[in-house]
């Protein structure tokens, strides 16, 4: 527990720097109402935090499954998941907030990224782990994220973001532009329309997390050289394929100065602390054996996704069929195969691919969403509705999911339920063919006044 009252002078002005005076005033008012100021466990300074520790844990617990879905779900590799969890816990135990209920997972995104949510929920992507060569590199990234949690960075930032209700307009725009009949709506399925965005840390916060991260990893018995290696790996990637690092860069700005500081800091440790054995290559190789096996299939999937976005469906189908033959247990690859088959007009193979994905990973939003649309296209409305209801449970309130559930209701003669779904869609999306469809039906059925369609809901 670290709740005490902080004086207004302790509030760092930079924290509210992106908002207007009104939002600053609003934050202060809410802070006063909630009365939650916190002492930073690292600096021992008091600072404005709108979250008490229990609120922080609760918020992290609620956001974690949603962020995991946004990052393409969990990598289905129990050995690797347990391994990352154990490395993370070892690091968290030597940190400044060992009592937090830390959790670590590997999400299936091909991007190179890692992020921490309030309360110590930390994710690293398959893309990043599959670029690494030893446990110390993995430990450095996890320790850096633990450093953010220890210094209360996510709590302060998410508070601001959640209150500001940041909407990812890119996802919304893509959805409005998508054709409701086509495969592009399936391809957009992973771009959830959501107010979840990744934390953007300041340079000072990055420096602090780097410093804490290296301290923790050395305390946990790793060579600090792993930290330098991981940074160099990210810098190389930034030069060669800047696109893959976009999310990482937007949340953890990576600069030459950070890399130089890390090397200088690592060089100050004793030769014994920097012994090559402390990079722990062996355990890492053992635990990433399955990941190495599926890596080429995922590389094919990434190439196929480019073809998909250019509507080059037969090429995408070819690559994805190859990829599923190489790695037949990866639900995400089957899901993209389903989208590609749909684009190529192959309704039945599309359904089979989607059903395979659902069977392999029943709680993957993208798989359920795709299976829902593909079943609808095969006129299997009850089956479609079942998948969409599960999708809506995994990530609630997505307009494209509600829209297709509405179409299932409409196709089976449940007009009231269909109308309710279309009405919900119009509350979230006002433009594009999906919204036009909903408006037209509601007017036609007498639920909306055609002369004042925009005001009637
Ligand atoms: Zn960071």
């Amino acid at each position: 527990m670290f709740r005490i009252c902080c004086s207004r002078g302790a509030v760092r002005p930079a924290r509210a720097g992106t908002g207007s005076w009104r939002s600053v005033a609003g934050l202060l008012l809410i802070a006063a109402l909630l009365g939650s100021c916190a002492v930073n466990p690292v600096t021992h300074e008091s600072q404005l935090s709108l979250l008490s520790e229990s609120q922080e844990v609760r918020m992290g617990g609620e956001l974690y499954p949603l962020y995991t879905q946004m990052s393409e779900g969990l990598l289905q590799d129990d050995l690797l998941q347990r391994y990352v969890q154990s490395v993370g816990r070892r690091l968290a135990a030597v940190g400044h907030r060992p009592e937090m209920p830390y959790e670590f997972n590997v999400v299936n995104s091909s991007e190179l990224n890692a992020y921490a949510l309030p309360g110590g929920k930390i994710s690293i992507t398959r893309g990043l782990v599959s670029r690494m060569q030893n446990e110390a590199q993995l430990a450095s990234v996890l320790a850096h994220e633990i450093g953010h949690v220890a210094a209360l960075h996510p709590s302060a930032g998410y508070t601001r973001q959640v209150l500001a209700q940041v909407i990812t307009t890119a996802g919304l725009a893509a959805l409005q532009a998508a054709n409701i009949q086509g495969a592009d709506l399936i391809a957009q399925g992973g771009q959830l329309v959501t107010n979840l965005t990744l934390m953007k840390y300041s340079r000072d916060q990055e420096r602090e997390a780097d410093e804490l991260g290296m301290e923790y990893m050395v305390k946990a018995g790793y060579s600090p050289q792993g930290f330098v290696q991981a940074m160099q790996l990210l810098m190389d990637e930034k030069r060669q394929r800047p696109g893959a690092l976009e999310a990482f860069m937007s949340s953890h700005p990576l600069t030459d100065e950070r890399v130089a500081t890390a090397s200088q800091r690592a060089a100050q440790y004793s030769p014994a602390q920097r012994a090559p054995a402390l990079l722990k290559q062996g355990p890492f190789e053992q635990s990433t054996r399955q990941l190495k096996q599926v890596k080429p299939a995922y590389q094919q999937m990434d190439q196929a996704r480019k073809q998909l976005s250019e509507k080059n469906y037969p090429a995408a189908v070819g690559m994805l069929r190859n990829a599923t033959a190489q790695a037949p247990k990866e639900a995400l690859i089957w899901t993209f195969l389903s989208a590609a088959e749909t684009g190529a007009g192959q309704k039945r193979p599309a359904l089979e691919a989607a059903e395979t994905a659902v069977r392999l990973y029943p709680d993957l939003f993208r798989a359920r969403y795709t299976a829902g649309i593909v079943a609808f296209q095969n006129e299997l409305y009850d089956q479609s509705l079942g998948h969409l209801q599960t999708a809506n449970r995994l990530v609630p309130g997505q307009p494209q999911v509600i829209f297709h559930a509405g179409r299932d209701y409409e196709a089976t003669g449940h007009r009231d339920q269909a109308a309710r779904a279309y009405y919900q869609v119009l509350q979230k999306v006002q433009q594009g063919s999906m919204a036009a469809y909903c408006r037209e039906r509601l007017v036609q059925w007498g639920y909306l006044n055609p002369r004042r369609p925009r005001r009637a809901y």
Side-chain angles (χ1 to χ4, degrees):
M1 291 297 289
F2 47 86
R3 278 185 63 176
I4 58 149
C5 244
C6 55
S7 72
R8 190 165 290 202
V11 176
R12 296 179 190 178
R15 289 198 182 282
T18 52
S20 65
W21 67 269
R22 204 175 295 175
S23 65
V24 174
L27 287 178
L28 289 174
L29 176 67
I30 293 164
L33 289 174
L34 296 175
S36 50
C37 298
V39 171
N40 183 314
V42 175
T43 61
H44 300 289
E45 284 171 17
S46 44
Q47 67 180 59
L48 172 63
S49 168
L50 300 190
L51 301 178
S52 67
E53 194 170 295
S54 65
Q55 285 170 322
E56 185 191 343
V57 170
R58 190 165 4 108
M59 180 185 274
E62 282 168 14
L63 293 176
Y64 199 40
L66 297 177
Y67 272 86
T68 298
Q69 293 292 349
M70 241 175 41
S71 311
E72 310 292 8
L74 293 168
L75 181 69
Q76 304 286 94
D77 181 339
D78 290 343
L79 181 71
L80 181 58
Q81 294 287 0
R82 278 200 302 275
Y83 173 67
V84 169
Q85 186 83 257
S86 74
V87 172
R89 291 208 167 139
R90 206 173 309 143
L91 293 160
V94 298
H96 284 90
R97 298 177 82 193
E99 74 288 356
M100 296 305 283
Y102 285 95
E103 271 185 61
F104 301 85
N105 72 23
V106 184
V107 289
N108 205 5
S109 166
S110 297
E111 285 179 3
L112 274 67
N113 202 7
Y115 53 86
L117 298 176
K121 303 284 185 273
I122 291 170
S123 295
I124 183 165
T125 61
R126 165 180 49 77
L128 184 48
V129 179
S130 53
R131 293 291 195 295
M132 293 174 160
Q133 296 106 14
N134 59 53
E135 190 171 309
Q137 292 174 4
L138 170 68
S140 75
V141 171
L142 300 179
H144 172 96
E145 297 301 333
I146 293 168
H148 280 306
V149 175
L152 297 174
H153 300 159
S155 320
Y158 279 103
T159 302
R160 194 174 65 214
Q161 289 189 342
V162 168
L163 284 177
Q165 292 283 303
V166 181
I167 303 275
T168 50
T169 46
L172 198 60
L175 197 61
Q176 290 180 338
N179 178 346
I180 56 168
Q181 309 294 346
D184 49 349
L185 194 55
I186 299 186
Q188 302 302 346
Q191 291 193 3
L192 306 177
V193 180
T194 171
N195 60 359
L196 307 178
T197 49
L198 285 174
M199 244 331 280
K200 286 182 175 43
Y201 296 118
S202 70
R203 277 164 189 249
D204 282 345
Q205 289 175 323
E206 283 308 291
R207 284 191 197 108
E208 194 173 18
D210 281 350
E211 193 180 338
L212 292 170
M214 196 178 288
E215 180 189 324
Y216 298 164
M217 71 183 288
V218 173
K219 264 192 197 164
Y222 294 104
S223 164
Q225 217 48 43
F227 200 103
V228 181
Q229 288 176 0
M231 277 198 162
Q232 274 162 351
L233 184 152
L234 287 162
M235 280 306 258
D236 289 347
E237 200 73 28
K238 184 182 158 190
R239 282 185 201 108
Q240 285 160 20
R241 298 191 315 136
L245 221 63
E246 211 174 306
F248 184 88
M249 288 303 294
S250 71
S251 56
H252 308 271
L254 184 64
T255 55
D256 287 318
E257 178 233 297
R258 275 181 68 197
V259 184
T261 308
S263 329
Q264 284 160 14
R265 198 176 282 141
Q268 288 162 6
Y269 286 97
S270 71
Q273 283 168 313
R274 286 186 283 126
L278 300 182
L279 291 169
K280 303 191 184 176
Q281 197 169 344
F284 184 85
E285 278 175 6
Q286 272 176 359
S287 305
T288 52
R289 207 173 285 161
Q290 187 185 317
L291 182 61
K292 269 203 196 89
Q293 276 169 9
V294 296
K295 191 176 170 180
Y298 275 112
Q299 281 167 340
Q300 285 224 10
M301 181 192 84
D302 290 337
Q303 284 168 8
R305 288 186 69 178
K306 271 186 214 132
Q307 300 294 328
L308 256 178
S309 67
E310 288 160 17
K311 302 189 194 298
N312 222 335
Y313 300 119
V317 167
M319 289 175 181
L320 288 160
R321 281 190 188 161
N322 264 336
T324 51
Q326 271 181 57
K329 288 185 180 169
E330 303 303 308
L332 189 63
I333 305 180
W334 284 103
T335 305
F336 282 113
L337 175 58
S338 177
E341 299 274 19
T342 302
Q346 301 291 323
K347 282 187 194 175
R348 208 66 210 181
L351 183 66
E352 281 160 23
E355 292 291 344
T356 304
V358 166
R359 215 166 27 246
L360 288 167
Y361 190 170
D363 279 352
L364 179 62
F365 171 83
R366 194 191 272 276
R368 286 289 186 173
Y369 168 69
T370 303
I373 295 184
V374 172
F376 172 84
Q377 286 169 346
N378 280 273
E379 298 175 18
L380 298 166
Y381 304 117
D382 289 336
Q383 202 172 315
S384 166
L385 195 57
H387 289 309
L388 294 172
Q389 280 165 345
T390 305
N392 195 49
R393 173 176 60 75
L394 294 168
V395 184
Q398 295 299 301
Q400 69 273 43
V401 172
I402 300 168
F403 173 71
H404 278 90
R407 298 207 54 193
D408 286 323
Y409 285 126
E410 184 184 339
T412 49
H414 297 87
R415 189 177 281 190
D416 274 357
Q417 278 156 302
R420 212 169 296 141
Y422 295 155
Y423 184 79
Q424 270 185 57
V425 172
L426 285 178
Q427 284 174 318
K428 291 168 190 282
V429 186
Q430 284 86 40
Q431 278 157 28
S433 52
M434 194 166 81
Y437 184 98
C438 294
R439 198 173 292 119
E440 196 187 303
R441 280 291 179 277
L442 289 174
V443 168
Q444 193 185 342
W445 294 341
Y447 291 90
L448 274 188
N449 182 340
R451 273 170 296 176
R452 298 170 63 200
R454 293 220 165 219
R455 290 205 158 190
Y457 51 86

